[in-house]
Amino acid sequence: MAALPVSKNNMFTMKIASIILLVSLLAMPLPAQVLKPTPALPPDNRLKADILLIVAHPDDETGASAYLAKLLDQHKRIEVVYLTHGEAGHNNMGPERGPSLGAVRETEVRHALAMLGIDNVWFLDGRDTPSQNVLQSLANWRNGQALEEVVRMVRLTRPEVIITWLPGFFIGENHGDHQASGVLSTEAFDIAGDPASFPAQLAAATKINETLLEGLQPWQPKKIYYFSDAENQDQFKDTGPTYTTTEISPTRNLPYWRLAMDSFSFHMTQYRDYIEGLSKKKPEEQKSDWGDPVGLIFGKSLVGGSRTGDVFEGVTPAAIPFTRAIPSGEEPAHASVELAGPWGFYDVFRHEHGLTHLPKAAVPEIVINHGQTLQIPLLVRNSSTTPQTITLSVTAPQTWAVQDFTSSFSLAAGESSPVLVQVTTPAADTSTAEVKCRAENGHQMMGEVELHVKLRAGGLPQ
Ligand SMILES: [Zn+2]
C-alpha cells in the first residue's frame, strides 16, 4: 500500500498538535513523588559534641589545645570548625600557595587534631583575609552565608559549650578573621535554637525533589567562652576560668602542654624553623615556652555557674529550650564624634548580644606597620534639637602627617555624617602615640575620641 501523501500544511498541523499534547501533559498534575516514610531517627549521635571549637585558621586551635587534651582525658567529645583553610599565608615547605596551600594546611591540622584525639573537623568556605578589620573578613565570607554555615554546624554537632575567638579590637595579632569567627559563633549561639532562623535547615524532605531540605533540629548551646591573642593578657585576668597545663595525662603519660606542643608541630607550612628549633630545645625550655595555663573569657551561660568557674559547671546532659538573647542595658549613648568602622560595630554588637561585660581596651587601640597610613573612620553627629555647624580637628604627633579631610559639617537636628581621617605615620618609627579627634561648635567642645596607636615593623594591614 502506497504511503499517503503528507502535505507541508499537514506536517505543520501535526507539529502543533504534538506541542499542544506535550504542554498539556506537562500541565497535568503528576502523581505525587512522595518519599517512602522512614521511621523517625534521632539525630546522628556520632556528631554530638560537648565542646565545639569555632575558629578561623588551621593552627588557631593552639590557644586552647592543652585544655582540649585535658578534656579528652575526661571523655569529653570535642569537634572543631575552621571558617577558612588558612590559604593566604606563606609556605615554609614548598611552592604551593593559595587554594593549594589551603589544602595542605587542612591536612596539617587534621593530623594535629587527630594526634590529640579529635576526628570530627570541618572547614567552611570563608576566604583567609589578612587584615585587622572584622568587617572586611565578614564581607569576604559573605556574612549571611557564613552565619548560615556556622548555625548548621551548631545544629549538626549540638555542642553543650562553644569556644571561639574573642570578638573585640585589641593590640596583638588581632586578625580580622579571628574576630569574625567570634562574631559569627556568638550570633550562632543566639539563633541556632530559634526555629524561625534558617528554617530550611530544619525542614525535613517529604518529596523526592526536596533535596536541599536538611532535617536538622534547633539546638541551644548552654555556654559560650572566648580566648584572645591580644598582647596584654593581664587585662583578661579573672574574666573566666584558667586551666593549668602541667599535669601528666594519665592516658598519654605526658604533660598536657607537651601534647599541645607535639600537636602544633604538624603546622610546618607556617612554623617550620620554629618547630625544627623546638625539637632541639631542652625539656625545661620547651616547658617555659609551652607550659602556660590556658585562660578563657566567660561569654554567656544559660545554665548558671560563675564567671571563673569550670566550663562545665551547671551543664547537664538535658537539652535546654531556645533562649532569645537579651540586649544588655541601655542602647550605647551617641556622642558628637565617635569611632565608626570595627570600633563602632563592636559597641552595637556587645549591646545587642548581651555582652557589654566582655573586656574591651580602656582606650581604643590599634597597631600598624610604621610608614603605613592610619585610617580613622569617624561619625560626626548633631545630637541636639537644632541645626548645628560642627567643626572637626585632629591632633597627632608632629612627625605624623594628617591628610586633608572634611572638617566642617552643617547638620540638621539628629543628623550624622561619616568622615575618614587618614594619618601617614613616619617610616622606621616604633613609638606609640595618641591621636585625638575633637568636635567643636564654635569654640565649645562637643566631644572627643582618642585612639591609642602603636607603630612597629610588619604585622597585618589595617
Ligand atoms: Zn589564625
Side-chain angles (χ1 to χ4, degrees):
M1 206 169 102
L4 286 171
V6 180
S7 74
K8 275 190 179 170
N9 263 351
N10 276 347
M11 283 278 284
F12 180 73
T13 313
M14 282 166 69
K15 268 187 188 166
I16 293 289
S18 48
I19 288 168
I20 290 170
L21 179 65
L22 184 66
V23 168
S24 35
L25 274 175
L26 286 173
M28 273 170 65
L30 291 168
Q33 295 179 308
V34 176
L35 286 176
K36 240 193 213 167
T38 48
L41 288 170
D44 189 336
N45 205 39
R46 295 170 304 168
L47 306 179
K48 173 76 183 80
D50 290 308
I51 293 229
L52 184 63
L53 181 74
I54 304 175
V55 286
H57 314 116
D59 90 342
D60 286 0
E61 74 288 347
T62 308
S65 53
Y67 170 56
L68 300 181
K70 200 180 245 193
L71 289 178
L72 287 161
D73 272 348
Q74 296 162 22
H75 309 292
K76 298 293 187 204
R77 292 160 294 179
I78 297 165
E79 308 186 23
V80 187
V81 172
Y82 292 90
L83 269 296
T84 80
H85 285 78
E87 71 279 4
H90 57 272
N91 186 352
N92 289 332
M93 294 300 290
E96 302 81 7
R97 298 295 293 268
S100 295
L101 177 58
V104 179
R105 294 220 164 139
E106 176 175 339
T107 301
E108 287 177 338
V109 80
R110 284 189 187 280
H111 284 299
L113 291 172
M115 197 232 96
L116 288 177
I118 300 170
D119 297 319
N120 285 357
V121 184
W122 287 274
F123 292 82
L124 306 185
D125 289 331
R127 285 188 177 178
D128 189 346
T129 304
S131 94
Q132 300 185 53
N133 187 348
V134 60
L135 305 177
Q136 166 82 348
S137 295
L138 290 171
N140 276 6
W141 295 357
R142 297 174 183 273
N143 202 339
Q145 183 182 313
L147 176 60
E148 180 177 4
E149 290 178 357
V150 176
V151 168
R152 175 180 295 115
M153 295 316 305
V154 171
R155 288 171 171 171
L156 199 59
T157 61
R158 293 165 287 133
E160 305 298 319
V161 178
I162 290 175
I163 299 179
T164 183
W165 284 111
L166 178 66
F169 205 124
F170 295 92
I171 284 181
E173 191 199 0
N174 205 38
H175 203 300
D177 288 350
H178 294 181
Q179 300 173 53
S181 63
V183 165
L184 294 173
S185 303
T186 304
E187 291 174 335
F189 180 93
D190 284 350
I191 64 172
D194 180 359
S197 291
F198 300 115
Q201 292 182 359
L202 304 172
T206 55
K207 301 185 199 73
I208 207 153
N209 63 340
E210 293 173 337
T211 51
L212 294 180
L213 299 182
E214 301 185 45
L216 293 172
Q217 301 283 320
W219 181 261
Q220 177 62 67
K222 295 172 178 130
K223 289 181 164 188
I224 183 166
Y225 289 87
Y226 304 100
F227 63 106
S228 170
D229 54 4
E231 261 172 32
N232 173 12
Q233 289 288 318
D234 289 345
Q235 64 191 314
F236 306 132
K237 196 169 180 290
D238 298 329
T239 58
T242 299
Y243 295 94
T244 53
T245 61
T246 48
E247 301 94 322
I248 307 293
S249 160
T251 58
R252 315 290 278 271
N253 211 23
L254 285 169
Y256 289 110
W257 65 261
R258 173 66 196 270
L259 295 174
M261 188 186 95
D262 290 350
S263 167
F264 179 80
S265 70
F266 286 96
H267 294 298
M268 291 288 276
T269 55
Q270 299 191 66
Y271 307 104
R272 180 180 185 170
D273 290 349
Y274 173 75
I275 290 164
E276 287 175 353
L278 202 54
S279 59
K280 294 178 191 121
K281 283 190 173 181
K282 293 181 183 137
E284 56 269 30
E285 289 173 321
Q286 293 174 337
K287 185 180 172 188
S288 127
D289 285 4
W290 283 85
D292 283 347
V294 172
L296 298 176
I297 298 157
F298 172 80
K300 301 189 194 199
S301 170
L302 301 175
V303 292
S306 63
R307 182 171 296 197
T308 54
D310 183 61
V311 162
F312 285 93
E313 188 182 7
V315 173
T316 61
I320 60 168
F322 167 56
T323 306
R324 198 170 294 282
I326 302 169
S328 33
E330 291 173 11
E331 295 272 337
H334 291 310
S336 300
V337 57
E338 296 168 358
L339 282 171
W343 294 281
F345 162 69
Y346 278 126
D347 285 341
V348 177
F349 176 83
R350 278 190 289 262
H351 169 74
E352 288 299 316
H353 292 277
L355 289 170
T356 45
H357 65 276
L358 281 190
K360 62 184 227 182
V363 175
E365 61 184 21
I366 187 169
V367 61
I368 61 166
N369 194 355
H370 52 64
Q372 197 185 340
T373 297
L374 169 69
Q375 297 197 312
I376 311 177
L378 297 171
L379 197 64
V380 175
R381 187 192 310 271
N382 175 7
S383 307
S384 77
T385 53
T386 55
Q388 300 275 341
T389 299
I390 298 177
T391 311
L392 187 69
S393 61
V394 175
T395 317
Q398 250 183 352
T399 53
W400 299 28
V402 180
Q403 297 176 16
D404 287 343
F405 61 95
T406 308
S407 60
S408 182
F409 303 84
S410 295
L411 299 173
E415 199 181 7
S416 61
S417 176
V419 55
L420 181 67
V421 171
Q422 303 197 80
V423 184
T424 306
T425 61
D429 180 342
T430 52
S431 62
T432 58
E434 316 299 323
V435 176
K436 292 181 180 174
C437 305
R438 172 185 289 216
E440 286 173 320
N441 169 10
H443 290 294
Q444 191 194 341
M445 153 103 140
M446 300 180 77
E448 185 177 73
V449 293
E450 200 177 340
L451 187 61
H452 178 71
V453 187
K454 204 172 199 176
L455 301 181
R456 72 166 52 139
L460 285 170
Q462 184 179 3

